Amino acid sequence: MPASLSWLLEIFKDSNGHWNWPWIGAALVAAGGGIATVIRAIWAIFNFFAERKTGQAKKGGATNVAQSGQGAASGHDTNIGNQYFGVSEEYLRWQNRSHSEQLAAKDAQIAELIKMLLERNPAAAAPGAERAVGEAVESIAEGAEAGDTRLESALNLLKQNKTAEAAQLLNAFAEDKTARAEQDRREAAIAYRNLGAIAGLHDPKAAREAYAKAVALDPGNAEGLFWDGWFQLHAKNLAAAETSYRALLQLAGNGADGHQVFWARTGLGDIAVARGDLKAALAAYKEARSAMERLAGSDAGNAGWQRDLSVSYERVGDVLVSQGNLPEALKSYRAGLVIRERLAGSDAGNAEWQRDLIISYKKIADCNPKERRADLSRALEIARALQASGRLAPADNWMLGELARLIAESPEE
């Protein structure tokens, strides 16, 4: 054995010449695992002691770290005792802190990516889209970090807001998982839910197909049922939407949260309206409203839940109007307006909440002939303010002309 290596090994022996396993273990822990890393760590230790030994020799031969069996293990060499053991502990603390900081930075980057995708893709306005897209991006990022090149490429495309290109890679990834679905159906379902969330930003048809596959693979997953119902309903596939929504309600309190239950009941109401069954629609909407009143009441500061509650009041009002019950419809619309005015007042820059106000004033005007002109004028004022600030969506430009026409046709009050 080379003299230098023999000298190095003596470092890890005690005063009796026996192997000091705690020191060896400490060296391995400090190395952080991995044979290559361990070798580098041992080499660093070797260099440290070699340089130290050289320095001592130049000073006239200070105590050798291995002489008389009194090296690091004995504690007699004060330069290697608690002082250097303390450095190792400090290094480990630094390493843990550095790792935590890296994780925090990574989380911040993912959060920024999710925010960008939601802001730049109008289709992300669907209820719960923020959570779905967020979970998908986090899952994709985890897969990319684990070494999957397709998910790494998909993540890079998402950073460029190239959602269509990213969806193609996610589709290939999901199909590959499906090929092994019998071995891991749940993993394949996750892949399709990720695909659905990203495809939903630009291609509702692709999203609908992805979520349908996810439900077929994992029919007990609430998130998959929720989104399958949503996209099937908007494609007017009423039977398929109803199947998913009713299955979702079966998971209430056992996988499905209150927000999902609210939208499942709301979806069933929408299905009943599409079928012309106003009685069933009103019952479903009232059940949804009751569910959301409980949920919003448990957290008055949750703006999203407050907004959803205003939606339930609006849906109930719509059915009452269709049934010819304008006084009760007006009560429901006004209850929703109170919530929307509060939300809009808390964040004047939220264009969606301003748009909600326009819709509320318009529907109240339709039920309230005595104040119709004033309500329509208020709606037009908000629409013009949105247009002036550049926040009126192109798809909503019709509001300006329509409201102006209705005001002109309304009698003076």
Side-chain angles (χ1 to χ4, degrees), residues 233 242 246 262-290 311-323 332:
L233 175 58
E242 182 178 10
R246 293 200 181 281
F262 164 76
W263 280 104
R265 294 195 183 284
T266 299
L268 291 175
D270 293 344
I271 292 169
V273 167
R275 291 172 173 167
D277 189 346
L278 296 182
K279 182 179 179 180
L282 185 59
Y285 287 148
K286 286 185 174 180
E287 287 181 350
R289 183 184 64 189
S290 296
V311 170
S312 69
Y313 280 117
E314 181 181 300
R315 290 285 213 284
V316 169
D318 290 345
V319 176
L320 291 170
V321 167
S322 297
Q323 291 178 330
S332 193

Side-chain angles (χ1 to χ4, degrees), residues 150 175-185 187-188:
R150 287 172 300 183
E175 288 179 347
D176 179 59
K177 293 296 182 183
T178 303
R180 299 182 291 116
E182 292 304 320
Q183 299 176 13
D184 197 345
R185 296 176 65 86
E187 187 175 347

